[in-house]
Amino acid sequence: MQPLEGEALGSWIDAMAKDRGIAVKQLLREFHLHKLGTLAIGQTRLPTPAILRICRLTGVGEPALHAMTLARFAGNALPHLPPNLEADAGAIGQWHAGAWLCDRHLRWCPRCLRENGRRWSLRWLLPWTFACLKHRVYLASECQRCQSVVTPGADCTFPSRCEAGTANERFHRYGYDERCDFPVTKYLPVPVSDSAVLSLQARINAWLDGAPTADDRRLVSLTAVLTMLLSPAMLRRGDPVLLFAVRSLRAPRPWQERALWTDPLRVAAAACAADRMLQSNDSAAEVAHLIADYRTVDYRTTPWRLDAMDWAYGPALRPNVYVDELVRRGTITIGSYHLR
């Protein structure tokens, strides 16, 4: 079975297991991927022995296997990825725990899944993908029935249904733990009403694919900053859905915590706000001053302290001139962050 264009490794392995009528664990052992600990690690970067074995058993070429792993984005969206999986297993695990990924809180396009037989795109694991260009909808990020975040299955494969437990704690005393079981393909996605959102997604895709312009690099750098610092005052124009997403804080459930960058609507809103700020061709210092002014309209207290772990890898995209200027101005503080 050949992988689809842009498909994630876990999705391809899951589809192959179903096609052969075997369990995913059995296929992972056949490919020697069980030695990595989890499929999520293999989906980050495959070791050379595993690549050679999979190529020999399936006939799939090495470039196609590389295209199904997150290593293809190592130069842009996922910096600081250790170069050698076998020699730096500990570093890979540490990087994977802190990297800007959505592999624990999934996102997807329901229409794509319905059309391709539930094959998941690798791009959906990155918070930079917030809209489906084919169907002109925002990606889903939580169950439409119970509002829980959707997480990978036991083998780190992509689920077909929401596996969240019941929200009624009274039943747990009696051993009753009903699952939501809502199909991910039944989610009704929110349509994109602003064509500028799709244009921004296309530009970010070009950056992910390693063919960005200087303007695209500035766009993603400022988008990463605004994902953390977004305020309603920055979204006076554009798609009203995005303004609602920022005002409501989009908490999936009161007792569930989710990082800001795992919400596709918030990232889309940050990209729109960043694009408008950059249209005037202001310097980084002037943009930082503008961010502070917008934030003050909605949130009076300064400086704003941000979690250093949220900026550890993807969001910082260091060196990031906008982060440097905001820190220099005293607008934000980020743990032990040092100017470069």
Side-chain angles (χ1 to χ4, degrees):
M1 174 180 288
Q2 293 296 315
L4 301 180
E5 183 178 358
E7 186 175 11
L9 180 67
S11 173
W12 176 63
I13 289 178
D14 188 38
M16 188 180 301
K18 292 176 181 176
D19 183 66
R20 296 185 179 184
I22 61 177
V24 173
K25 287 184 178 180
Q26 182 179 345
L27 193 58
L28 292 178
R29 286 194 296 270
E30 186 176 347
F31 290 160
H32 290 181
L33 294 180
H34 65 290
K35 299 178 181 179
L36 301 179
T38 67
L39 180 57
I41 298 297
Q43 197 161 248
T44 299
R45 169 173 281 154
L46 286 171
T48 301
I51 292 176
L52 297 177
R53 182 172 180 82
I54 295 173
C55 290
R56 180 170 57 83
L57 293 177
T58 65
V60 174
E62 185 174 343
L65 288 177
H66 175 74
M68 288 190 286
T69 64
L70 292 167
R72 64 175 293 190
F73 303 122
N76 295 320
L78 298 172
H80 317 305
L81 176 62
N84 191 329
L85 180 64
E86 297 164 307
D88 302 317
I92 283 282
Q94 184 178 8
W95 172 88
H96 195 275
W100 224 36
L101 294 172
C102 291
D103 60 341
R104 295 174 181 84
H105 294 168
L106 299 177
R107 57 177 62 188
W108 68 96
C109 172
R111 296 181 182 177
C112 286
L113 293 181
R114 288 197 295 268
E115 292 177 1
N116 64 20
R118 296 204 306 270
R119 309 282 286 271
W120 290 65
S121 171
L122 183 68
R123 289 182 185 272
W124 296 346
L125 295 180
L126 300 175
W128 300 104
T129 307
F130 46 78
C132 175
L133 298 180
K134 179 180 179 181
H135 297 107
R136 302 176 66 87
V137 296
Y138 292 105
L139 297 187
S141 60
E142 67 270 334
C143 174
Q144 201 154 31
R145 174 185 287 171
C146 69
Q147 301 302 303
S148 295
V149 293
V150 177
T151 57
D155 299 319
C156 295
T157 54
F158 299 102
S160 60
R161 296 175 176 271
C162 175
E163 298 180 357
T166 178
N168 197 330
E169 296 293 335
R170 294 178 302 165
F171 296 139
H172 288 293
R173 287 180 256 169
Y174 305 101
Y176 180 73
D177 187 20
E178 184 182 38
R179 296 294 173 182
C180 173
D181 207 38
F182 186 76
V184 296
T185 56
K186 298 297 183 182
Y187 187 100
L188 297 178
V190 178
V192 177
S193 63
D194 187 358
S195 60
V197 174
L198 301 176
S199 299
L200 291 171
Q201 182 67 83
R203 289 178 59 187
I204 290 175
N205 286 350
W207 168 69
L208 291 174
D209 292 334
T213 64
D215 289 340
D216 293 340
R217 293 186 185 277
R218 284 192 290 269
L219 172 67
V220 295
S221 294
L222 186 54
T223 297
V225 173
L226 293 184
T227 297
M228 304 299 172
L229 296 177
L230 200 60
S231 72
M234 301 178 188
L235 297 169
R236 294 176 179 174
R237 303 189 307 273
D239 194 336
V241 170
L242 301 182
L243 179 59
F244 168 78
V246 176
R247 288 190 181 278
S248 66
L249 296 181
R250 300 257 309 150
R253 279 186 179 180
W255 58 88
Q256 285 185 329
E257 293 185 0
R258 181 170 64 175
L260 297 175
W261 44 262
T262 61
D263 183 358
L265 292 183
R266 185 178 181 88
V267 178
C272 290
D275 183 53
R276 295 192 187 102
M277 289 185 185
L278 294 174
Q279 287 178 0
S280 58
N281 293 320
D282 290 338
S283 66
E286 291 170 324
V287 170
H289 180 77
L290 188 60
I291 292 173
D293 286 346
Y294 277 129
R295 291 279 301 181
T296 305
V297 171
D298 297 299
Y299 314 111
R300 302 294 180 182
T301 305
T302 58
W304 297 283
R305 179 174 176 79
L306 302 180
D307 186 353
M309 282 305 298
D310 280 340
W311 293 76
Y313 294 96
L317 296 173
R318 298 176 186 168
N320 189 322
V321 293
Y322 304 108
V323 176
D324 286 348
E325 286 296 334
L326 287 166
V327 173
R328 183 176 290 109
R329 286 174 51 85
T331 303
I332 61 175
T333 59
I334 313 175
S336 58
Y337 183 89
H338 296 290
L339 294 175
R340 291 176 180 265

